[in-house]
Amino acid sequence: QERSICWGIICILLFFFLPEPAQKCKTGPVDLVFLIDSSRSVRPHEFETMRKFMIDIINTLDIGLNATRVGVVQYSSQVRTDESINQIIPLAQGTMTGLAIRYMMNEAFTPEAGDRPKVPNVAVIVTDGRPQDRVAEVAAEAREKGIEIYAVGVARADMTSLRAMASPPFEDHVFLVESFDLIHQFGIQFQDKLCAIDLLIDYCSFGNHSCDHECVSVLNGYRCRCNEGYRLLEDSKTCQDMNMCNTVEHGCEYQCVSTPGSYHCICPEGQLLQDDGKSCGTCKSANIDLVLLIDGSKSVRPQNFELVKKFVNQVVDSLDVSPHGTRVGLVQYSSRVRTEFPLNMYHTADEIKAAVMKVEYMEKGTMTGLALKHMLENSFSEAEGARPLSRSIPRIGLVFTDGRSQDDITEYAKKAKEAGITMYAVGVGKAVEDELREIASEPVEKHFYYTTDFTAISTIAENLKLNVCPEESQGEIEVKDPCACESLVEFQQATMNSLEQVTQKHIL
């Protein structure tokens, strides 16, 4: 006689066979789920052997709502539950074992599906081949939730995958047989395990389990289980909050954001994260990632290329270069593109200036579009030293050229600005104004410069200054006329402040 009672979406199969077996396993409550492989590699007669294997085990158990509950899930490329074991029709597709374990964990062993608190959760996975998806991570997650997993492999099953799924110790939870005809050997051993252990004993009640959160009794003792949002550490007892912001003194002024195994601080809109990585402010003094693209085409000429290198070093002199302040990278281009040094190579102005003077002139063509592509895809990558976008450190690109580009610049000039890079264009001699304007960020007047000959570029370099507060310049490089009225007033105020400080310290 056979009847079924639904356990959530998993059906409990209650079997009463007449005549009664000679000895029935009288155990306490346990929630048992069979996860059976019904892929196309399992032949019909082999599937029937697996069906009988499950019936033989269930026939020895004390089945009931308050005793042992049994669920059956079959899988191939998909996962399906059936009304009873005798009604299972093989799916005959692939072998997505990881998907099936995820389904079992999220659907079978849940309170909604009838899973009972403090009742051992036991899963028996039967498979005949190598999984077509990843199983180690999801199986580890299932074990952390207190599910005791037995992995039974037949014929073509892979021992490495079986061990990745099973609970430790492996010698008690991993079984590999040559054919389905021998699967009953595991059935006998498994029955012995269920029947030999008095499941009425609540091992967690002994009081010495030392579990941080929850203790779950299993067939051979107990396991610790963590609350939602926590993970079980290697000592199998301690639970760690997966949100690092809740477990460390992060010191973030505004908000802490947790990442796997780490965390970082963020600031509200309109403010920038300061050098300490914790505080927020409206000012960010000389803290940028700057990449200079310099034209090394044959039209520049060797003597003028030396002037270009001096121009670069004049720019560097105006910056506060340090690992946590401004970083500088240099790229030279002609018919090809060459990174002279990335953002993370040098950490002082002197190191950068020395490296600049050693740069060798490339000559050949003017592929400005190719250089912009290289800058976007390589120079501003974290691998080459660009700080993460989450740090809100301005990214600035400065293009120096003396002629018309021999390739298209439109695509990557646009993409660079869309990626949040503030672009400056400095042109000399035969440089094309329309191209320079297309490269430059808005407002173009503040990001585009032109001079007729190389001897005048030092004037541009002398006036490139990074303002301290973003509300004044939004992290932009601004050319200031030292003879302008506001510059004279600024100089006068700075002089008066300095004199006052000297007076206070040394005279009064």
Side-chain angles (χ1 to χ4, degrees):
Q1 181 181 347
E2 173 188 338
R3 62 188 178 92
S4 64
I5 297 178
C6 282
W7 164 21
I9 66 167
I10 306 295
C11 285
I12 303 170
L13 308 173
L14 306 183
F15 291 84
F16 300 90
F17 292 84
L18 297 174
E20 286 285 329
Q23 182 178 4
K24 208 171 185 68
C25 186
K26 298 292 184 181
T27 67
V30 60
D31 291 339
L32 172 64
V33 172
F34 288 97
L35 199 60
I36 58 171
D37 179 355
S38 65
S39 60
R40 66 174 64 91
S41 61
V42 180
R43 298 177 179 85
H45 72 277
E46 294 173 336
F47 192 84
E48 291 306 315
T49 302
M50 187 158 47
R51 192 196 307 269
K52 184 178 184 303
F53 152 77
M54 291 187 290
I55 291 174
D56 288 345
I57 291 179
I58 292 171
N59 194 35
T60 65
L61 301 177
D62 183 17
I63 302 293
L65 289 176
N66 297 317
T68 296
R69 297 183 181 183
V70 180
V72 179
V73 178
Q74 67 160 320
Y75 72 94
S76 61
S77 296
Q78 56 182 307
V79 184
R80 193 174 75 192
T81 57
D82 296 274
E83 287 297 321
S84 73
I85 290 180
N86 288 331
Q87 295 178 1
I88 296 176
I89 299 175
L91 295 168
Q93 297 172 350
T95 311
M96 302 295 284
T97 312
L99 177 67
I101 296 173
R102 173 78 58 188
Y103 179 90
M104 174 193 71
M105 178 174 61
N106 293 339
E107 302 294 342
F109 289 116
T110 62
E112 294 78 14
D115 183 41
R116 295 166 289 181
K118 295 189 179 297
V119 171
N121 292 162
V122 180
V124 176
I125 302 174
V126 183
T127 181
D128 85 322
R130 183 189 298 271
Q132 294 175 333
D133 57 353
R134 299 172 67 90
V135 298
E137 294 83 356
V138 67
E141 189 176 343
R143 294 193 299 269
E144 285 183 3
K145 289 191 173 184
I147 302 173
E148 186 169 11
I149 300 177
Y150 289 81
V152 184
V154 183
R156 295 163 294 277
D158 173 54
M159 177 58 79
T160 301
S161 299
L162 295 175
R163 291 173 66 91
M165 293 186 285
S167 299
F170 299 128
E171 57 269 20
D172 292 336
H173 293 83
V174 176
F175 296 84
L176 182 61
V177 295
E178 294 180 0
S179 68
F180 279 92
D181 294 335
L182 300 175
I183 197 174
H184 69 279
Q185 294 178 355
F186 165 75
I188 295 172
Q189 295 182 49
F190 185 66
Q191 292 170 26
D192 291 342
K193 285 180 177 293
L194 287 175
C195 295
I197 299 175
D198 184 2
L199 293 177
L200 291 173
I201 297 176
D202 183 3
Y203 291 94
C204 294
S205 65
F206 293 165
N208 60 351
H209 53 74
S210 303
C211 295
D212 256 8
H213 288 174
E214 183 181 0
C215 176
V216 179
S217 293
V218 294
L219 295 182
N220 55 354
Y222 69 89
R223 292 188 184 279
C224 297
R225 182 159 59 190
C226 297
N227 298 335
E228 190 73 24
Y230 291 78
R231 66 184 184 93
L232 193 64
L233 298 184
E234 291 183 358
D235 64 2
S236 298
K237 296 182 179 181
T238 306
C239 296
Q240 183 183 65
D241 194 333
M242 290 189 289
N243 187 334
M244 290 290 290
C245 295
N246 295 335
T247 61
V248 298
E249 293 291 336
H250 54 75
C252 296
E253 179 180 325
Y254 176 68
Q255 184 178 341
C256 175
V257 177
S258 182
T259 56
S262 185
Y263 70 93
H264 64 269
C265 302
I266 62 172
C267 294
E269 186 175 354
Q271 295 192 31
L272 296 175
L273 192 66
Q274 300 300 292
D275 290 344
D276 60 5
K278 298 179 180 181
S279 57
C280 301
T282 56
C283 292
K284 189 84 161 185
S285 178
N287 194 2
I288 63 173
D289 286 342
L290 171 65
V291 174
L292 298 106
L293 302 182
I294 58 172
D295 182 350
S297 61
K298 59 179 175 289
S299 60
V300 174
R301 307 290 175 83
Q303 65 272 24
N304 288 332
F305 190 73
E306 293 304 311
L307 294 177
V308 173
K309 292 196 287 187
K310 289 182 179 179
F311 165 82
V312 171
N313 281 348
Q314 282 182 278
V315 174
V316 172
D317 279 333
S318 69
L319 304 173
D320 181 18
V321 178
S322 70
H324 301 292
T326 288
R327 295 182 182 181
V328 178
L330 181 65
V331 174
Q332 183 185 175
Y333 71 95
S334 59
S335 298
R336 57 190 179 88
V337 183
R338 183 174 71 203
T339 297
E340 301 296 351
F341 52 83
L343 287 165
N344 57 2
M345 179 167 287
Y346 301 116
H347 305 304
T348 67
D350 288 341
E351 289 176 336
I352 292 173
K353 289 163 64 179
V356 168
M357 296 311 296
K358 293 178 182 178
V359 171
E360 296 183 357
Y361 179 36
M362 292 175 72
E363 300 189 57
K364 298 186 179 179
T366 310
M367 303 292 283
T368 310
L370 183 64
L372 289 169
K373 180 178 187 290
H374 180 89
M375 176 198 72
L376 177 64
E377 297 180 350
N378 298 283
S379 302
F380 280 112
S381 67
E382 292 185 33
E384 292 202 1
R387 267 74 64 95
L389 291 172
S390 59
R391 295 278 305 276
S392 300
I393 294 175
R395 294 182 173 185
I396 296 177
L398 191 153
V399 179
F400 185 101
T401 182
D402 85 320
R404 181 186 297 273
S405 177
Q406 294 174 336
D407 61 349
D408 180 62
I409 65 167
T410 302
E411 179 183 359
Y412 284 97
K414 180 181 178 183
K415 285 184 175 180
K417 288 177 281 189
E418 289 176 346
I421 302 171
T422 302
M423 293 299 303
Y424 288 81
V426 179
V428 181
K430 296 180 181 180
V432 179
E433 181 177 342
D434 288 346
E435 289 185 352
L436 297 174
R437 287 180 172 275
E438 191 168 2
I439 293 171
S441 293
E442 295 289 345
V444 173
E445 290 70 24
K446 287 189 175 182
H447 299 85
F448 148 66
Y449 307 100
Y450 175 79
T451 183
T452 56
D453 61 80
F454 282 87
T455 58
I457 63 175
S458 60
T459 303
I460 296 176
E462 288 172 0
N463 291 319
L464 283 173
K465 302 294 181 184
L466 183 69
N467 278 353
V468 172
C469 293
E471 63 264 28
E472 296 174 8
S473 67
Q474 297 300 315
E476 299 167 357
I477 297 176
E478 181 183 6
V479 175
K480 293 186 176 181
D481 183 357
C483 296
C485 179
E486 62 178 80
S487 297
L488 292 173
V489 172
E490 184 180 317
F491 174 75
Q492 184 179 9
Q493 290 176 341
T495 303
M496 294 301 294
N497 289 337
S498 297
L499 287 172
E500 185 176 351
Q501 291 176 9
V502 171
T503 301
Q504 293 286 340
K505 184 174 181 179
H506 298 288
I507 298 179
L508 295 180

